[in-house]
Amino acid sequence: MNAQSQINKDQLPVHVGIIMDGNGRWAKQRNSLRTNGHSEGLKRAKEIAKVAADLGLKFVTLYVFSTENWKRTEQEVGFLMNLIHVHLKQEFEFYKTNKIRVRLLGDKNNLPKNIQKDIEEVENDTKSFDGLTLNLAINYGGRDELVRSVKKIVDSKIDSKSITEETISKNFDIPELPDADLLIRTGGEKRLSNFLMWHASYAELIFKDTLWPDYKEDEFYEDILEFQKRTRRFGAVPV
């Protein structure tokens, strides 16, 4: 019996975050350019988004480009920005067919102007789609999102005594985004790398040795099934 057939559709995680790691190493293993790894990784991202939509997941957040990724070579950063640009311009029919709404998670203001325009257009064009919400974390860092949230609160001159967790989360990039139930990282590394630092406080973590371009839908189903086998206590003592 395969993993897909064992998944309980009534116990799906609401929000799944994915750190798509291993594109560069995948390319290196094949004596290829790192950019080819990123291109192949984009194909996997699209495939997994469709699988998630078909499965009935509500939110998936993909770690596309972090605030730290600007430290990479100018050539690689330029390639990644162009890859994002081309994808956002060409994939509307894919999102429409699968009823996927696209949202940006991250600081849009520091992105190239054409990417900012692309994001505004895809968010507007897909805002009525009622299936999966696909959050693209671009120029995103968990700490950066927290800092920007605090700045908004300070600028609003709110009384510090009235600040709660809800006050902070309401000032995030996507205020209505629920906490992550499941966080998957491919590529063999076992760290969060500044991804969803607030939202993943009680997420179930799954670390995979599979490099992202080799991560296929069967493995995604296995990870959803693994999530359903775990007992989530949120700090409480099980009865």
Side-chain angles (χ1 to χ4, degrees):
M1 185 180 297
N2 61 32
Q4 181 182 4
S5 65
Q6 298 179 66
I7 291 174
N8 184 343
K9 293 290 188 69
D10 295 325
Q11 295 181 4
L12 293 171
V14 174
H15 178 193
V16 177
I18 305 178
I19 301 176
M20 306 177 292
D21 194 18
N23 294 330
R25 280 171 286 156
W26 182 89
K28 185 176 181 181
Q29 287 178 0
R30 290 158 177 77
N31 295 315
S32 184
L33 297 173
R34 286 177 60 85
T35 51
N36 291 334
H38 293 310
S39 295
E40 195 65 27
L42 177 58
K43 295 177 185 178
R44 291 296 88 70
K46 185 176 174 181
E47 290 172 5
I48 295 302
K50 176 170 172 47
V51 170
D54 291 344
L55 193 57
L57 296 183
K58 296 300 183 184
F59 299 90
V60 168
T61 299
L62 301 179
Y63 208 4
V64 177
F65 190 91
S66 77
T67 48
E68 289 73 37
N69 286 156
W70 296 107
K71 300 173 185 176
R72 297 186 178 187
T73 66
E74 183 177 348
Q75 179 184 11
E76 185 171 357
V77 169
F79 179 86
L80 287 168
M81 288 296 117
N82 186 64
L83 195 64
I84 292 169
H85 168 67
V86 171
H87 172 78
L88 292 176
K89 296 295 287 186
Q90 295 183 349
E91 295 298 345
F92 174 73
E93 287 302 319
F94 168 75
Y95 294 130
K96 180 180 178 181
T97 299
N98 294 285
K99 299 180 179 180
I100 296 175
R101 182 183 184 186
V102 180
R103 304 290 303 275
L104 171 72
L105 191 67
D107 186 358
K108 181 174 67 175
N109 295 325
N110 289 326
L111 289 169
K113 295 297 183 183
N114 65 325
I115 302 295
Q116 292 185 37
K117 184 174 182 291
D118 296 334
I119 290 168
E120 290 172 2
E121 289 179 352
V122 75
E123 285 189 317
N124 184 63
D125 291 344
T126 64
K127 65 182 179 182
S128 64
F129 299 161
D130 59 0
L132 170 73
T133 293
L134 182 66
N135 306 305
L136 302 179
I138 304 174
N139 192 30
Y140 175 82
R143 290 181 175 181
D144 180 68
E145 184 178 30
L146 277 166
V147 169
R148 288 185 288 109
S149 173
V150 170
K151 287 181 178 179
K152 291 176 186 177
I153 294 170
V154 171
D155 288 344
S156 70
K157 302 187 186 304
I158 188 173
D159 183 353
S160 62
K161 294 179 181 178
S162 65
I163 295 175
T164 63
E165 289 187 9
E166 184 180 13
T167 310
I168 295 172
S169 62
K170 278 185 175 180
N171 285 280
F172 282 157
D173 297 330
I174 305 177
E176 66 273 24
L177 182 64
D179 286 349
D181 299 299
L182 170 62
L183 194 151
I184 301 167
R185 179 171 187 153
T186 62
E189 305 291 353
K190 295 178 174 62
R191 54 179 178 269
L192 296 182
S193 294
N194 202 14
F195 182 54
L196 297 178
M197 301 301 289
W198 179 283
H199 301 83
S201 295
Y202 280 97
E204 295 298 318
L205 307 180
I206 295 180
F207 297 105
K208 311 302 294 273
D209 289 330
T210 308
L211 301 177
W212 176 248
D214 289 329
Y215 185 84
K216 303 298 177 62
E217 61 182 76
D218 288 345
E219 202 161 356
F220 185 64
Y221 290 132
E222 291 170 1
D223 290 342
I224 297 296
L225 185 59
E226 167 62 23
F227 167 82
Q228 294 186 338
K229 293 177 179 178
R230 297 188 183 182
T231 299
R232 308 185 72 200
R233 293 188 283 273
F234 301 96
V237 177
V239 178

